[in-house]
């Protein structure tokens, strides 16, 4: 795991486009822009992901999103206990002098916030689906997940969005 | 052959107070999100104003707020990215309220294109400018900063933007650590150009043209002296 993160951040530092990022999940698909998209995750069209695990769902931004943002230098997250709504902003990230809102893909109560991000905001770049998770939510309406995209749809979405 | 129309409405606002400009942007962002208006570009200048970004790194302000007031300057805390900066007369400001999703731009590409806009403007006057190194977003002539950027992106809609020094009073920058970068000077087009500069209005127009071209707009609608209370889309 440490090796993988090192490799990823070195690749970032050298500004290499890593077509294949090794990951624990056996199946992943590649978008034309070489961002990683993972199976078993759901995706919003504003480039956030959600992974439902039992009573709690973890939320973060995708590899495509972190790549398009640039190096994240600051992350603002809500407090545990706050309420988030699908499609509404719950926090923001700063990169390259841009503060970008991050929207929640699901509604519910924030039960945990990734405190590592205040010291190491770059985790969002180096590990967007694992160590760069942002909040954990107790979903108030799990059926919302059905309105989100699966990995294949999201990969296609990224390709279409970039192709102008 | 069908050509996709990309429209931009340009508002030339003259000198506008910071808070008024902020209120206007908030309204336009909301309208843009709701699809009520097309991409809009605000072109203006501010009276002497210092602004802090979202991280509120106040120690980069080297004087007290009351000293600022006695200089005739205002201080504002904002939601944009970036550090402390100064805005004032003879500094050209562009606030684009545009949809990044329509052009598939992320924050990084957007900011890079804003940098290019200022670099192109500088080159029109024979000045060779460049984008900053990593962590030094903005536009530089050598080791001197001529243009600054600080933006906010909400659901893919931008606000705030760029500031390009035509000929502002650079002494105002002495009261801050500009953009949190120590040991680097601030400069202006006036300082970098040997000959006389053309009228400022022309330079504003040139800046707008560079923006229009780099962002691929093919239909520009000019709105001069718009009513700020204009509720119609």
């Amino acid at each position: 795991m440490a090796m993988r993160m090192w490799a990823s951040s070195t690749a970032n530092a050298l500004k290499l486009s890593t077509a294949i990022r090794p990951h624990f999940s056996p199946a992943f698909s590649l978008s034309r822009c070489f961002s990683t998209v993972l199976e078993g995750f759901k995706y919003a069209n504003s480039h956030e992901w959600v992974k439902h695990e039992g009573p709690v769902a973890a939320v973060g931004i995708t590899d495509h999103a972190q790549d398009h943002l640039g190096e994240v230098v600051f992350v603002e997250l809500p407090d545990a206990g706050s309420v988030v709504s699908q499609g509404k902003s719950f926090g923001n990230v700063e990169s390259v002098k841009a503060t970008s809102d991050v929207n929640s893909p699901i509604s519910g109560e924030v039960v945990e916030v990734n405190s590592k991000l205040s010291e190491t905001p770059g985790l969002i770049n180096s590990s967007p689906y694992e160590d760069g998770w942002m909040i954990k939510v107790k979903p108030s309406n799990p059926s919302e997940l059905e309105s989100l995209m699966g990995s294949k749809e999201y990969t296609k979405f990224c390709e279409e969005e970039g192709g102008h | 052959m069908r050509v996709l129309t990309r429209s931009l409405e340009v508002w030339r606002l003259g000198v506008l107070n910071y808070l008024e400009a902020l209120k206007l942007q908030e309204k336009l962002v909301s309208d843009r999100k709701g699809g009520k208006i097309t991409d809009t570009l605000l072109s203006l200048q501010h009276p002497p104003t210092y602004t802090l970004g979202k991280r509120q790194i106040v120690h980069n302000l080297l004087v007290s707020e009351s000293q600022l007031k006695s200089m005739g300057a205002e201080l504002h805390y904002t939601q944009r990215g970036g550090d402390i900066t100064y805005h004032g007369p003879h500094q050209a400001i562009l606030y684009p309220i545009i949809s990044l999703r329509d052009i598939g731009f992320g924050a990084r590409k957007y900011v890079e294109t804003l940098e290019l806009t200022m670099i192109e403007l500088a080159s029109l006057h024979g000045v060779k400018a460049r984008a900053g190194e990593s962590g030094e977003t903005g536009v530089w002539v050598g080791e001197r900063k001529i243009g600054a950027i600080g933006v906010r992106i909400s659901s893919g809609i931008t606000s705030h933007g760029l500031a390009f020094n035509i000929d502002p009073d650079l002494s105002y920058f002495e009261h801050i650590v500009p953009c949190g970068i120590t040991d680097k000077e601030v400069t202006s087009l006036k300082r970098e150009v040997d000959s006389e500069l053309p009228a400022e209005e022309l330079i504003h127009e040139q800046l707008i043209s560079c923006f229009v071209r780099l962002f691929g707009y093919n239909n520009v609608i000019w709105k001069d002296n718009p009513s700020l209370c204009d509720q119609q889309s």
Side-chain angles (χ1 to χ4, degrees):
Chain A
M1 172 85 152
M3 270 306 283
R4 200 170 50 241
M5 273 178 57
W6 173 84
S8 198
S9 49
T10 306
N12 274 339
L14 295 173
K15 296 202 182 346
L16 296 175
S17 171
T18 53
I20 297 172
R21 289 173 191 242
H23 200 273
F24 63 82
S25 185
F28 59 85
S29 46
L30 300 173
S31 70
R32 206 198 300 158
C33 45
F34 302 109
S35 304
T36 308
V37 179
L38 301 180
E39 296 291 333
F41 285 60
K42 288 291 219 167
Y43 301 88
N45 62 9
S46 44
H47 303 287
E48 293 90 7
W49 57 262
V50 56
K51 187 156 204 245
H52 201 174
E53 278 165 332
V56 151
V59 170
I61 66 170
T62 65
D63 189 30
H64 176 101
Q66 71 77 20
D67 185 48
H68 277 51
L69 278 176
E71 192 196 331
V72 176
V73 296
F74 185 71
V75 183
E76 194 176 74
L77 295 173
D79 293 325
S82 351
V83 168
V84 294
S85 304
Q86 188 180 47
K88 297 258 154 48
S89 166
F90 69 81
N92 56 74
V93 297
E94 183 177 337
S95 64
V96 292
K97 307 291 173 83
T99 293
S100 303
D101 281 358
V102 186
N103 296 333
S104 182
I106 53 167
S107 312
E109 186 194 329
V110 177
V111 298
E112 204 186 330
V113 164
N114 189 351
S115 54
K116 286 209 192 110
L117 292 180
S118 52
E119 282 272 320
T120 324
L123 286 174
I124 290 185
N125 297 112
S126 58
S127 181
Y129 297 108
E130 290 172 76
D131 299 329
W133 67 271
M134 296 175 78
I135 56 172
K136 287 191 177 152
V137 176
K138 192 167 94 187
S140 57
N141 186 3
S143 64
E144 279 175 342
L145 287 168
E146 285 155 42
S147 63
L148 299 174
M149 293 181 267
S151 56
K152 283 203 181 71
E153 270 182 273
Y154 178 64
T155 305
K156 190 153 182 275
F157 176 76
C158 287
E159 286 173 10
E160 281 166 6
E161 210 188 46
H164 280 268
Chain B
M1 185 181 117
R2 270 180 63 211
V3 175
L4 182 71
T5 305
R6 285 200 21 87
S7 294
L8 180 73
E9 200 173 274
V10 179
W11 296 30
R12 286 190 283 208
L13 296 165
V15 177
L16 187 62
N17 171 273
Y18 192 82
L19 280 181
E20 282 191 59
L22 202 55
K23 259 190 278 179
L24 175 60
Q25 288 180 78
E26 280 165 17
K27 166 119 196 359
L28 291 174
V29 167
S30 168
D31 285 350
R32 187 68 188 88
K33 276 185 194 174
K36 291 189 203 158
I37 58 172
T38 186
D39 284 353
T40 304
L41 179 69
L42 306 183
S43 168
L44 61 143
Q45 295 188 2
H46 287 309
T49 310
Y50 291 92
T51 65
L52 283 157
K54 201 170 179 61
R55 280 185 281 162
Q56 298 187 4
I57 306 170
V58 186
H59 63 248
N60 286 327
L61 176 63
L62 305 173
V63 296
S64 70
E65 275 195 57
S66 53
Q67 278 172 298
L68 281 186
K69 282 207 179 92
S70 62
M71 282 179 231
E74 293 181 6
L75 174 69
H76 293 286
Y77 294 81
T78 77
Q79 298 294 310
R80 61 156 172 79
D83 207 314
I84 192 167
T85 195
Y86 165 78
H87 297 306
H90 313 296
Q91 183 193 71
I93 289 186
L94 288 187
Y95 290 148
I97 314 292
I98 70 174
S99 164
L100 293 182
R101 288 184 198 167
D102 281 3
I103 45 176
F105 272 24
R108 190 158 58 133
K109 181 89 176 131
Y110 176 53
V111 165
E112 281 170 5
T113 314
L114 289 181
E115 285 173 333
L116 275 176
T117 302
M118 291 191 275
I119 290 169
E120 279 209 7
L121 174 64
S123 78
L124 286 178
H125 295 271
V127 175
K128 199 153 170 224
R130 57 172 182 89
E133 311 282 305
S134 173
E136 291 187 345
T137 300
V139 174
W140 302 76
V141 182
E143 297 296 298
R144 305 173 295 287
K145 195 165 188 181
I146 196 171
I149 291 176
V151 306
R152 173 142 193 233
I153 301 167
S154 176
S155 296
I157 307 295
T158 63
S159 57
H160 298 273
L162 65 81
F164 181 85
N165 291 340
I166 301 177
D167 184 20
D169 181 348
L170 295 179
S171 68
Y172 277 97
F173 284 96
E174 287 163 23
H175 306 299
I176 57 174
V177 179
C179 311
I181 303 170
T182 51
D183 307 331
K184 294 267 166 88
E185 273 181 66
V186 177
T187 186
S188 64
L189 192 62
K190 175 84 180 163
R191 280 236 178 132
E192 300 293 330
V193 166
D194 289 324
S195 49
E196 188 80 21
L197 283 180
E200 251 178 47
E201 246 185 54
L202 178 61
I203 301 177
H204 271 267
E205 261 184 50
Q206 288 172 334
L207 182 60
I208 293 167
S209 295
C210 292
F211 178 91
V212 164
R213 213 174 48 73
L214 285 168
F215 281 88
Y217 293 102
N218 50 29
N219 179 35
V220 178
I221 306 140
W222 297 90
K223 209 167 164 179
D224 292 336
N225 300 313
S227 159
L228 296 182
C229 308
D230 193 353
Q231 292 293 322
Q232 292 167 357
S233 55

